[in-house]
Structure formats: structure tokens, C-alpha cells
């Protein structure tokens, strides 16, 4: 078991994963575990400190999440954030009440006592609040170290027991000195060293893969995107020719995608790529299916069934490697804590029970932008590292309603025009992801004095860092104009183009 300097207990906050990444940015490795992780498993990680995340519940709710109380006897520093603060207060005998003034958004905090948590930060700093309940009476032995207008106890501490708690969220971008505060906790209070970086992450993962795989073979599903390519590169370093990279053409790819992926793997990464033509199989299974979750589940299952068939052609393949990211995990299932299922990403929530592979998922704890840094570390080609994300279920989740060959052909044409316009105008690298969606909507138009009644394409372009949150991209109207004109003029069957101006949240990036 690897030593984990900081363990984060997840009580379901949408920001929990940001705690981990802020610490990693400061060079400190940490792992997120569910709020009810057994104490023995926490002890095995030999942490130097614990962080209790925020969460949507109230500590007084009947079903409120409570950790194993033994965590308070581990005699290591603890930092509670928002819900975590309220748990600490309740546990040590203080009082938490619903606040008259809910605080959402920016607030200023004033220092009340000196504390290492605030070293190298300024008094009256801006923090991000998001809470309904608040501490009303401190437990014995605790002091107030900062306050805000609406939170008399914006930060509290029991320095003799090394327990600290914040009403605000230091992990969000809008908390001015949030990274410094988290770093102070890990570094100055817990004594963690800043020794973690992408290079050490790569080494750790390569060692883990070697140990797990031994002399067996690993089938690695690749798509040409950065995630699966990084996984393949890590595996190649770890086990060389025991790696069997497999690219499944499920018929839901974009124009020339298969050729591009084959070229990348064969000619630039010099890997023996196996391409499987499974177009008919996928399209047959998707016939008549309109529900987004059902589409995702069918695609996830069919991928596994294709991989199982391929694996039988070799001796001793018992592992399947995938480029699963934290974003896929957090949205698909409540694996790390009590967060809600948003959609079943094909490589997580879409996996069938009957799968016989053991999974290897070295990127399961990290985010897209971190994967790109890892790709640089592994010397992958830049155009592969900077490719926009493309979801495993492909165009199936970009066609609203039933998927069929005709609609796939329409969408492919529209999408390749849009990407071509972005590239030729220098905007491809300026947006995080861009794609077209074929809506299940027909509308009336007029072209060349004739009435048309045709399909609508929606152009979706987003700015993001990690895919967890996103805003629609503010690209020039002239560019939207040329995309719209070209799609309507060049794609027979489309007479209307719209632009999606929804952020995430409340939307998600993909439409299904
Ligand atoms: P959403 O739509 O959940 O997308 O906001 C976040 C990011 O994840 C990609 N995505 C997927 N990637 N398998 C994948 O490999 C999936 O099932 C899947 N669903 C969404 C999406 O394109 C975006 O970049």
C-alpha cells in the first residue's frame, strides 16, 4: 500500500475533486475516499493529514453522512471544509444552526487570531462561501481564527489537537488565497513535502502496472484521443510488447477518424494497432433505441463484448486498460462518495456485470488537463495531446433519437465542415471542445425560391479546464456565420444551424 500524505473524505460536495487537484498543483499527492471509508483502510495509507470535504446535507438531517469517528483519534491534523466544519463542531460538542442569511458566492474574511493556515495570505481576503448552516457555538478548546459579515465563525481551530475548520471553500478558484491555505495545511501543519509531480506520477503508474500485470498481456482500448493514448504509452513503457492496443471502429466515428488513428499509432507511435470493424454490430444493437442512458449502456456493453472476442485470440489476456478520467467516474456512479449519477460514461457506468477483464485505469484519479501534462511528460505528439475530447459513444450521443446511417452521414459532413472552419481560422486550439449535434427537429426554410423542410444542426463549442465545468465559447460571429453558411450550402438535408449558449452547469457538454 502506497503512503498517501493527505486523505480527503468525500461528503458529496461538487468541489471535492478540486481539493485533490489544488494539492497536486502544490506538489502534494492526495487521494479522495468515500466519507465512510473504514478506519483500517485509512490507516493503511499512513496519511499525515485528513481533509473532510463539503457536502450538500445538513449535519442534523436524518440521513446525514458521518465518518468513522475513529478518524478523530488518529492524532493527525484534520481540516474540515464547510460540511466538514459542521461535522467537527457537532462531534466535539458545539452547535450548528441553519443560518438566516445563506451565503453563496464571494465574502471577505477578517483574521481574528494568528494561525499558520493563513501564512502568506492577506487579511480581508476574498473567499467563496456556499452554505446554509453555520456554527453557532464553538466546541470546547476551539477558537475563532477568522470571521466574515455573515459568518462569525468563518474559520476555527483547536491548535493543541491540530484540528482546523473553514466555513468557506479554499479549493475553488474564487477563493483568493485558497491554494496557499490548502498548501499551508498540508505543508506547515501536516509536514508534507512537495515532492509530487507528473514525472513522479508517471513513474508510480508504470511501477504499479508492472507489478499488477507480471508477464500477462493487456488489451488496451484506444480511440486516438489523448486519454487512451497516454494509457497506451504508460503501458508500453511498463510492459512493452505485452501491450495489445485495439481500436474499435463502431461506425460512430467522425470523417477520416479511423485513418487518422491508424496513422498515429502505426507510423508515429510504432505500435502494432489492431483495428476491429464492428460497425454492423453496434448499429444493429442501437436500432430503435432513443433513450440516452440506454444508448450509453448498449455501447459500453458492446465495446466489452468486442474486446472479449479479441482477447480470446491471444493467450493470457486478463486485463483491459482504459483511459477513464475522474470526470467519467464522478458523473457515472457514486464510487467515491455520495455524489449523484449524471450520465453513464461508456467506460464506467456502461460496463456490463458479465465482463471478465480486470481493469487497469491509471488516469482514474486525474483530470483532462493533468492528462495532457502527462502526455507531454511521455513525449506524445503535440497534435494528439491537444486533440479535442471525443466521447467513447461517439456520434451516437450527438444524434438525438435513433441512430441510423443517414443521420450519421449528415452529422459527419456538418462536423467536418465546422472543424475545418475552426482550424483554418486558428480557433481549434482556442476552444476546449467543439462539435455538432444533429437535433431531432425539422424546420421550414427557403432556398433558391423553394421551400425546404429539413434538419437542424446545433454547433456546441465550450471553454473549460477539466470538463467539470464549462462555458460556451465566445467565438466571433463572423466565424459562426461562415460555419452556418457552409453547413447549409454543402450538406444536403440541413437547412438550419443554431449555436448552443448553455454553460455546464446547468447543461452538460454533450447533449446526451
Ligand atoms: P459531459 O457531457 O458529461 O462531458 O459534460 C464531459 C466531457 O466528457 C466527455 N464524455 C465522455 N467521454 N466517454 C468518454 O470517453 C463517455 O461516455 C463520455 N461522455 C462524455 C465529453 O465529450 C466531455 O469532454
Amino acid at each position: 500500500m502506497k503512503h498517501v500524505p493527505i486523505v480527503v473524505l468525500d461528503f458529496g460536495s461538487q468541489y471535492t475533486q478540486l481539493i485533490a487537484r489544488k494539492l497536486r498543483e502544490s506538489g502534494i499527492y492526495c487521494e479522495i475516499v468515500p466519507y465512510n471509508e473504514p478506519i483500517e483502510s485509512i490507516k493503511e495509507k499512513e496519511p499525515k493529514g485528513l481533509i473532510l470535504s463539503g457536502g450538500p446535507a445538513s449535519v442534523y438531517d436524518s440521513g446525514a453522512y458521518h465518518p468513522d469517528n475513529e478518524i478523530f483519534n488518529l492524532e493527525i491534523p484534520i481540516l474540515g471544509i464547510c460540511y466538514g466544519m459542521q461535522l467537527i463542531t457537532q462531534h466535539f460538542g458545539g452547535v450548528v444552526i441553519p443560518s438566516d442569511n445563506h451565503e453563496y458566492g464571494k465574502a471577505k474574511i477578517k483574521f481574528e487570531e494568528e494561525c499558520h493556515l493563513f501564512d502568506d495570505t492577506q487579511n480581508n481576503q476574498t473567499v467563496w462561501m456556499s452554505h446554509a448552516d453555520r456554527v453557532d457555538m464553538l466546541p470546547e478548546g476551539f477558537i475563532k481564527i477568522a470571521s466574515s459579515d455573515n459568518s462569525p465563525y468563518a474559520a476555527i481551530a483547536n491548535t493543541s489537537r491540530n484540528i482546523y475548520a473553514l466555513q468557506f471553500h479554499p479549493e475553488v478558484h474564487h477563493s483568493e488565497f485558497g491554494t496557499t491555505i490548502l498548501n499551508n495545511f498540508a505543508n506547515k501543519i501536516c509536514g508534507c513535502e512537495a515532492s509530487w509531480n507528473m514525472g513522479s506520477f508517471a513513474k508510480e503508474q508504470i511501477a504499479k502496472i508492472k507489478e499488477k500485470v507480471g508477464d500477462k498481456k493487456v488489451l488496451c482500448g484506444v480511440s486516438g484521443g489523448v486519454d487512451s493514448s497516454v494509457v497506451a504509452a504508460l503501458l508500453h513503457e511498463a510492459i512493452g510488447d505485452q501491450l495489445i492496443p485495439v481500436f474499435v471502429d463502431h461506425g460512430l466515428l467522425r470523417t477520416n477518424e479511423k485513418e487518422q488513428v491508424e496513422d498515429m499509432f502505426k507510423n508515429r507511435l510504432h505500435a502494432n494497432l489492431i483495428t476491429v470493424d464492428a460497425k454492423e454490430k453496434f448499429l444493429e444493437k442501437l436500432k430503435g433505441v432513443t433513450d440516452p442512458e440506454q444508448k450509453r449502456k448498449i455501447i459500453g456493453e458492446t465495446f466489452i463484448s468486442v474486446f472479449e472476442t479479441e482477447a480470446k485470440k491471444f493467450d493470457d489476456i486478463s486485463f483491459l486498460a482504459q483511459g477513464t478520467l475522474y470526470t467519467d467516474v464522478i458523473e457515472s456512479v457514486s464510487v467515491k462518495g455520495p455524489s449523484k449519477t449524471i450520465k453513464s460514461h461508456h467506460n464506467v457506468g456502461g460496463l456490463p456485470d458479465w465482463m471478465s477483464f480486470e481493469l487497469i485505469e491509471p488516469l482514474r484519479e486525474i483530470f483532462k488537463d493533468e492528462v495532457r501534462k502527462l502526455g507531454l511528460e511521455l513525449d506524445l505528439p503535440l497534435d494528439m495531446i491537444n486533440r479535442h475530447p471525443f466521447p467513447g459513444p461517439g456520434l451516437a450521443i450527438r444524434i438525438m433519437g435513433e441512430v441510423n446511417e443517414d443521420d450519421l452521414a449528415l452529422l459527419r459532413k456538418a462536423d467536418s465542415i465546422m472543424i475545418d472552419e475552426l482550424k483554418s481560422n486558428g480557433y481549434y486550439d482556442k476552444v476546449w471542445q467543439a462539435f455538432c449535434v444533429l437535433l431531432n427537429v425539422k424546420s421550414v426554410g427557403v432556398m433558391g425560391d423553394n421551400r425546404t423542410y429539413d434538419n437542424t444542426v446545433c454547433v456546441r463549442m465550450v471553454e473549460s479546464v477539466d470538463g467539470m465545468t464549462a462555458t460556451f465559447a465566445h467565438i466571433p460571429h463572423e466565424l459562426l456565420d461562415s460555419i452556418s453558411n457552409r453547413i447549409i450550402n454543402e450538406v444536403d438535408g440541413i437547412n438550419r444551424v443554431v449555436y448552443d449558449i448553455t454553460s455546464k452547469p446547468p447543461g452538460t457538454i454533450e447533449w446526451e
Side-chain angles (χ1 to χ4, degrees):
M1 172 68 67
K2 178 180 178 293
H3 161 57
V4 180
I6 299 284
V7 170
V8 181
L9 265 61
D10 180 17
F11 291 89
S13 162
Q14 54 171 317
Y15 304 136
T16 304
Q17 63 286 349
L18 293 177
I19 303 173
R21 69 159 300 149
K22 286 275 170 192
L23 286 170
R24 288 200 289 263
E25 270 171 27
S26 304
I28 290 153
Y29 182 66
C30 81
E31 275 180 17
I32 300 173
V33 299
Y35 67 96
N36 54 359
E37 181 83 349
I39 193 72
E40 286 312 319
S41 149
I42 296 177
K43 278 186 191 163
E44 273 177 23
K45 297 179 191 293
E46 299 174 354
K48 290 189 161 189
L50 288 184
I51 296 182
L52 314 186
S53 83
S58 161
V59 284
Y60 292 118
D61 285 351
S62 55
Y65 303 124
H66 287 277
D68 187 328
N69 275 339
E70 277 302 303
I71 61 164
F72 296 109
N73 297 326
L74 289 177
E75 296 188 359
I76 54 174
I78 298 181
L79 174 68
I81 296 174
C82 199
Y83 181 82
M85 175 195 220
Q86 290 146 17
L87 273 176
I88 289 173
T89 304
Q90 190 189 43
H91 177 80
F92 288 100
V95 176
V96 176
I97 54 163
S99 170
D100 293 338
N101 298 311
H102 293 189
E103 263 186 306
Y104 296 105
K106 284 182 186 175
K108 293 265 185 198
I109 56 160
K110 240 183 23 234
F111 295 158
E112 300 284 345
E113 292 286 342
E114 248 183 52
C115 179
H116 283 315
L117 215 47
F118 295 128
D119 282 1
D120 306 317
T121 76
Q122 278 167 17
N123 201 4
N124 279 319
Q125 62 189 271
T126 300
V127 297
W128 191 259
M129 295 277 188
S130 176
H131 66 102
D133 292 356
R134 67 173 175 80
V135 174
D136 190 49
M137 193 187 87
L138 288 184
E140 208 180 308
F142 280 75
I143 53 165
K144 150 160 73 166
I145 53 173
S147 61
S148 76
D149 283 349
N150 284 322
S151 291
Y153 302 113
I156 62 173
N158 179 335
T159 44
S160 61
R161 290 195 68 150
N162 252 330
I163 297 181
Y164 304 81
L166 306 171
Q167 179 66 84
F168 57 90
H169 288 271
E171 68 276 27
V172 307
H173 180 69
H174 297 86
S175 285
E176 202 181 354
F177 291 100
T179 311
T180 314
I181 294 172
L182 285 170
N183 193 26
N184 283 341
F185 173 71
N187 200 291
K188 300 204 166 159
I189 295 172
C190 303
C192 301
E193 277 168 32
S195 58
W196 189 89
N197 56 37
M198 271 303 159
S200 47
F201 181 80
K203 278 195 203 120
E204 275 163 26
Q205 294 304 324
I206 290 168
K208 261 194 199 169
I209 294 168
K210 270 189 185 154
E211 195 191 323
K212 187 166 181 175
V213 172
D215 55 8
K216 298 222 162 69
K217 294 196 176 81
V218 180
L219 193 148
C220 177
V222 298
S223 67
V226 61
D227 313 334
S228 55
S229 306
V230 164
V231 170
L234 279 173
L235 280 158
H236 198 256
E237 291 270 325
I239 57 167
D241 289 345
Q242 290 159 253
L243 162 71
I244 318 280
V246 174
F247 172 64
V248 178
D249 179 354
H250 52 14
L252 307 164
L253 300 170
R254 293 167 294 185
T255 311
N256 293 333
E257 190 139 32
K258 173 171 156 286
E259 292 72 19
Q260 285 165 9
V261 175
E262 286 179 338
D263 174 61
M264 180 78 77
F265 270 82
K266 289 188 176 151
N267 302 328
R268 294 167 69 186
L269 301 180
H270 308 293
N272 282 328
L273 184 72
I274 298 175
T275 302
V276 183
D277 181 349
K279 292 200 270 299
E280 276 180 25
K281 187 168 183 168
F282 275 86
L283 293 183
E284 185 57 36
K285 292 207 178 236
L286 286 169
K287 227 179 227 166
V289 181
T290 54
D291 176 68
E293 275 298 282
Q294 215 188 332
K295 281 187 191 172
R296 285 176 165 275
K297 294 254 157 90
I298 289 172
I299 293 167
E301 275 186 33
T302 313
F303 261 118
I304 298 299
S305 116
V306 171
F307 290 146
E308 299 239 348
T309 309
E310 285 310 299
K312 290 202 183 100
K313 298 180 184 165
F314 294 84
D315 293 334
D316 51 345
I317 296 189
S318 42
F319 297 98
L320 172 68
Q322 312 194 107
T324 311
L325 303 187
Y326 192 73
T327 333
D328 306 331
V329 176
I330 193 75
E331 293 197 343
S332 296
V333 266
S334 316
V335 226
K336 283 287 173 185
S339 52
K340 297 267 193 300
T341 300
I342 308 294
K343 56 176 78 168
S344 301
H345 285 233
H346 79 289
N347 42 3
V348 187
L351 297 178
D353 302 339
W354 47 260
M355 181 178 89
S356 62
F357 290 114
E358 194 178 332
L359 288 176
I360 296 185
E361 300 182 309
L363 315 180
R364 206 178 156 89
E365 302 283 331
I366 64 175
F367 295 90
K368 183 69 109 196
D369 55 318
E370 293 178 306
V371 174
R372 289 194 164 124
K373 285 186 196 141
L374 188 54
L376 286 174
E377 198 70 43
L378 294 165
D379 278 335
L380 289 185
L382 268 185
D383 52 343
M384 175 182 268
I385 291 174
N386 294 327
R387 267 186 97 183
H388 287 182
F390 184 63
L395 300 182
I397 54 167
R398 294 178 179 172
I399 291 176
M400 303 299 97
E402 186 183 353
V403 180
N404 60 53
E405 292 279 14
D406 291 346
D407 285 352
L408 281 166
L410 275 189
L411 183 55
R412 274 191 198 110
K413 279 190 198 149
D415 198 80
S416 71
I417 291 171
M418 186 271 305
I419 293 289
D420 183 50
E421 282 296 309
L422 272 193
K423 286 190 171 161
S424 54
N425 285 284
Y427 268 84
Y428 183 84
D429 289 327
K430 291 187 187 159
V431 300
W432 194 80
Q433 188 173 9
F435 54 92
C436 288
V437 181
L438 187 66
L439 305 186
N440 199 355
V441 172
K442 284 197 167 190
S443 69
V444 174
V446 50
M447 285 167 89
D449 291 334
N450 283 317
R451 178 185 194 268
T452 58
Y453 185 58
D454 269 333
N455 293 290
T456 311
V457 149
C458 170
V459 175
R460 176 85 163 134
M461 296 190 198
V462 294
E463 313 279 6
S464 180
V465 175
D466 48 26
M468 293 293 296
T469 54
T471 50
F472 70 88
H474 292 66
I475 65 161
H477 287 182
E478 295 71 25
L479 182 51
L480 287 175
D481 197 21
S482 57
I483 291 171
S484 158
N485 270 327
R486 276 196 59 197
I487 292 178
I488 292 171
N489 287 334
E490 295 175 33
V491 188
D492 207 8
I494 294 174
N495 69 348
R496 194 173 291 267
V497 175
V498 297
Y499 189 59
D500 185 346
I501 53 169
T502 317
S503 294
K504 172 183 179 177
T508 52
I509 295 177
E510 302 288 346
W511 272 49
E512 290 192 338

